Amino acid sequence: MMRNQEDIENEGVGVMVMEDGKDLERNISSEGGFREPLLKSKSRVNNTSQIAIIGANVCPIESLDYDIVENDLFKQDWRSRKKVQIYQYIFLKWTLVLLIGLFTGLVGFFLNIAVENIAGFKLLLASDLMLEDKYFRAFAIFAGCNLGLATCAAILCACIAPAAAGSGIPEVKAYLNGVDAHSILAPSTLFVKIIGSVLGVSAGFVVGKEGPMVHTGACIANLLGQGGSRKYHLTWKWLRYFKNDRDRRDLITCGAAAGVAAAFRAPVGGVLFALEEVASWWRSALLWRTFFTTAIVAMVLRSCIQFCRSGNCGLFGQGGLIMFDVNSGFPNYNTVDVLAVLTIGVLGGLLGSLYNYLVDKVLRTYSIINERGPAFKIMLVMTISILTSLCAYGLPWFASCTPCPVGLEEKCPTVGRSGNYKNFQCPAGHYNDLASLFMNTNDDAIRNLFSAENSSEFHLSTLFVFFAGVYCLGIITYGIAIPSGLFIPVILAGASYGRLVGSVLGLVSNLNNGLFALLGAASFLGGTMRMTVSLCVILLELTNNLLMLPLVMLVLLVSKTVADSLNKGIYDQIVQMKGLPYLEAHAEPYMRQLAAGDVCSGPLVTFSGVEKVGNIVHALKFTRHNGFPVVDLPPFSDAPEFCGLVLRSHLVVLLKGKTFTKLNVLSGSNTLKKFHAFDFAKPGSGKGLKFEDLSFSPEEMEMYVDLHPITNTSPYTVVETMSLAKAAILFRELGLRHLCVVPKTTKRNPIVGILTRHDFMPEHIKGLYPHLVHHK
C-alpha cells in the first residue's frame, strides 16, 4: 500500500493555494463527531489535506525537520570539526539564550511602561473631567481614546500581520510540536505583536499582555536563531551552525519560557510553563537553558524597576509588572474553609469549561466576519471597543456610593493617580467600588481584588456585576483582530467570584477575602487552561505567598478534574479550531486496532541510488513530497535494498550543483568534494532555493546523479505490523517528520510506505476506517 500523489505530501505539507487564494482543499468533516475547522468556506471541498488558519488566513502546513539527517556529508563534517569549533557552537548557543532573555525582558518592561502611561493618562483625563461634573465629555474622551487605540491595533493586525491576533500560545505550542505554519514567528508578527499589545491593552479591552508575551518571546528567539542572513549581511560562519530546526526549537522553547517570566515576574513558573504546556519534546540540557533565560529576564526586570523608582517612568509605579502581595501571615484554615476551597474548585471547573465552550462558539461566529476581509475585522474591533467602553463607564453608575473607611494610609477617594478608591460620581468622602474595578487598568483591578486591607471594600452586588461583565466581555473580546491574552480576563473573573465566596462566608472563615480571590483565580485558570504545576508556581511567585501552596494545589486539581470531564483546555481547543495538525501525547484507543501499514496509501515515489536526472526533475515537478525513499538496485546491490531517505530540499541543492555523469555509475566522491554540509542547511525566514529556479538542458535530463552522499542512511523505520498507537507515540516523542514502514516478510518491495504527521490525524484515519473512529 503506497501513498497517493494526489493526496497529501510525504512530509505533511498541506494543500496548494489556488491563484485567488480562496479556493482551498479541506479535509475535516463535521460528521461523526468531527468539527469543521475555524473559517468555513463554501468554496472549499473535502479531502484529507491539512491546512492551518492563522489570523483568519488559510495557509498550507509543513512539518519541521527535527531529526538529524545522517548522510555522508554530515558524517564528513563531524569528522572534520575541531574541538574549538565545538566550543564555538556551545558558546554561541548560550550567548543566544542570554540575548533572548535580555531582549524579552526589555520588551516586557517596555510593554508595561507603555500600557501604564497610555492607559493611566486616559483614565486620569476622564477622572479629572468627572470631578468637574463634565460627565458626557468624560465619556467621550474615555470612549474616544479607547476607540482610537483599538482601531490602530486592528489596522496593524488586519493589514500587516494577521498571525499576531490572539494570544499566540496555541501557535507556539503547535510549532514546538513540529507544525510550521506560515508567518507565525515572522519579524512582522513580532512587531505587530508588541505594538498591538500596547494599543489593545491600553484601549481598555478585557485582555492581557501576558499571553502575547509568550508569542513575543518565541518570535525574538526565532529571529535570533535564524543562523545568519544574507539579506542583512549577517553571514558570520559561527551562525551557520543554527541553520536547522532542532536548534531553533530549543531557542524558541527558551523564548516561550522567557515570555512568561517577563509577563508575571515568575522565572521558575516560566520554565515550568514551557515544560508543561508548550513543549512537546524536552531534555535536561534544555531545562538548564530555559532556567538561565528566565533568570536573565528576572535580573533585567529588577534592574528596570529600580530605575523607575526614581520617578523616571512617568505613571509607571505599582501598576505594571504585576506583583500582588497578599501575604497576611500564616493562613489557619478550618473545615469550613476546606469545603469552601473545594466548592471554589468545582465552580472554577464548571465556569472554566463553560468559558471554553462559549469562546469556541464566538470564534466560529467571528470567523464568518473575519473572512470577509480587513475592513470587517476592523469594524468588529471597533464594535467591541464601543461595547466595552459602555460597560466600563455605564455600569458603575448603578453602584451606590460607599463612605471611605476610617484610618486608611492612602487618600480616599484617590485623585490624580491609580488606587482602590475611585471617586467617579460620588460626593467627597465616598467612593464607587465598581468604578474601582472597571475604571482602572486590568493589573490594578486584580490588585484591588487581591487586597486584604479592607474586607468590606466591595459589595456583593459589585462583585457579582463585575464578574458577569468581565466573564462576558472576555468571551466576546478574544478572537477579534488584536493581540489578546487570556490570563488576565480569567484571573479577573476568578478573583471576583473567589472574593464573592469569601464575602459570603464572612465570620465563619479564617481566610481573608484576598486569599479567597487568589483561590478563585487559581480555580478559573485551572478550569480554562488545564495546567497545574506551572500555574501553581506562577500564582505563588505572583503573590509572594508560599503558605498558600496546599490550598492552591487542591483547588487546581479539583478544577482541572471537573473541567476535563466536560471538554478540552482552551489552548487545545484553539489549536483544533485553527486546523493545526497537533499530535497528542497519547494515542487514541482506535489506533490500537490498526497497524502501521494500514494507513499508508500509494503509489510511493522512490529513487534509485544512482538516478536519472529527468526522473528526479519529473518527481519534484509533479509531486509535493518532501521525502523520497532511496532503493539500491542491481548492479549496486544483489537485490533491491532500502538505502535511506532523501529530502526534497537536498535534491534541489544537488541538482543546482549539476554533478552529473553520463553513465550510471557511483560518483559520490565528486559530490563530497564539491559540497559542504552547510550547503544543505535549512534557510531561515528568508527565501531558500526553490525547484522553480532550476533549469536543465535535454542532455542534462538524460544524465545520472549519485544520491548516496545526501541520503539519510539511518531513518527511523517500523515494521508494517506495528500497532498504529505505538507508531504514533514513537513519532511524537522523537519529533519525526517521516517514519518509514518496512515489510514484515522478504521478497517484497523493501519499503512499504512512509508515515507522516498527516497519517496520524483522526480525519485521515476516519476517511479510511469510519467504523473505528468515535469521538465524544
Side-chain angles (χ1 to χ4, degrees), residues 291-588:
F291 187 73
F292 175 71
T293 308
T294 56
I296 296 299
V297 172
M299 293 173 62
V300 169
L301 294 179
R302 184 176 181 84
S303 301
C304 293
I305 291 173
Q306 289 294 115
F307 172 76
C308 283
R309 284 180 177 170
S310 58
N312 298 319
C313 301
L315 296 176
F316 178 81
Q318 293 184 350
L321 292 171
I322 50 180
M323 176 64 77
F324 313 118
D325 192 354
V326 297
N327 195 349
S328 58
F330 188 80
N332 294 313
Y333 38 89
N334 53 30
T335 304
V336 175
D337 295 325
V338 174
L339 293 176
V341 169
L342 292 175
T343 303
I344 290 176
V346 174
L347 191 62
L350 295 174
L351 290 173
S353 60
L354 177 62
Y355 191 90
N356 294 357
Y357 174 80
L358 294 176
V359 166
D360 181 292
K361 297 300 182 184
V362 168
L363 283 174
R364 295 179 186 278
T365 303
Y366 284 174
S367 68
I368 302 173
I369 302 173
N370 291 335
E371 267 196 325
R372 296 179 177 271
F376 286 86
K377 295 182 185 180
I378 297 170
M379 289 174 61
L380 177 61
V381 173
M382 295 172 68
T383 303
I384 301 300
S385 175
I386 295 172
L387 179 61
T388 302
S389 298
L390 287 171
C391 290
Y393 190 87
L395 289 178
W397 286 92
F398 297 97
S400 60
C401 294
T402 305
C404 290
V406 181
L408 284 179
E409 296 182 2
E410 60 179 310
K411 187 176 179 180
C412 176
T414 56
V415 178
R417 61 184 179 84
S418 62
N420 287 38
Y421 304 101
K422 289 289 184 181
N423 178 263
F424 205 65
Q425 89 289 9
C426 294
H430 292 71
Y431 71 95
N432 187 314
D433 57 348
L434 190 54
S436 299
L437 298 175
F438 271 120
M439 296 295 289
N440 242 327
T441 62
N442 292 332
D443 290 359
D444 281 333
I446 296 175
R447 187 172 289 103
N448 294 345
L449 288 169
F450 281 4
S451 174
E453 296 178 358
N454 181 7
S455 59
S456 59
E457 179 180 348
F458 301 105
H459 295 97
L460 293 179
S461 59
T462 294
L463 293 172
F464 179 79
V465 170
F466 183 72
F467 165 72
V470 169
Y471 192 91
C472 296
L473 287 175
I475 290 171
I476 65 173
T477 303
Y478 192 82
I480 62 177
I482 61 167
S484 53
L486 285 167
F487 275 99
I488 291 301
V490 170
I491 292 176
L492 278 171
S496 57
Y497 77 70
R499 192 175 181 105
L500 180 61
V501 172
S503 300
V504 170
L505 290 179
L507 298 176
V508 299
S509 173
N510 291 332
L511 301 179
N512 60 54
N513 290 354
L515 297 179
F516 271 111
L518 170 63
L519 293 173
S523 70
F524 203 5
L525 285 167
T528 55
M529 301 181 183
R530 314 296 164 83
M531 293 179 282
T532 51
V533 179
S534 56
L535 277 180
C536 183
V537 174
I538 288 172
L539 288 171
L540 294 178
E541 288 185 286
L542 266 180
T543 57
N544 194 28
N545 193 348
L546 188 62
L547 299 175
M548 289 296 293
L549 178 62
L551 293 182
V552 173
M553 292 174 65
L554 177 62
V555 78
L556 281 171
L557 288 172
V558 172
S559 62
K560 174 177 166 55
T561 303
V562 171
D564 277 340
S565 64
L566 299 173
N567 55 24
K568 288 186 176 182
I570 186 69
Y571 296 132
D572 293 324
Q573 283 190 349
I574 295 173
V575 165
Q576 184 180 12
M577 284 189 292
K578 286 180 177 289
L580 298 168
Y582 186 85
L583 290 175
E584 299 290 347
H586 61 277
E588 297 293 341

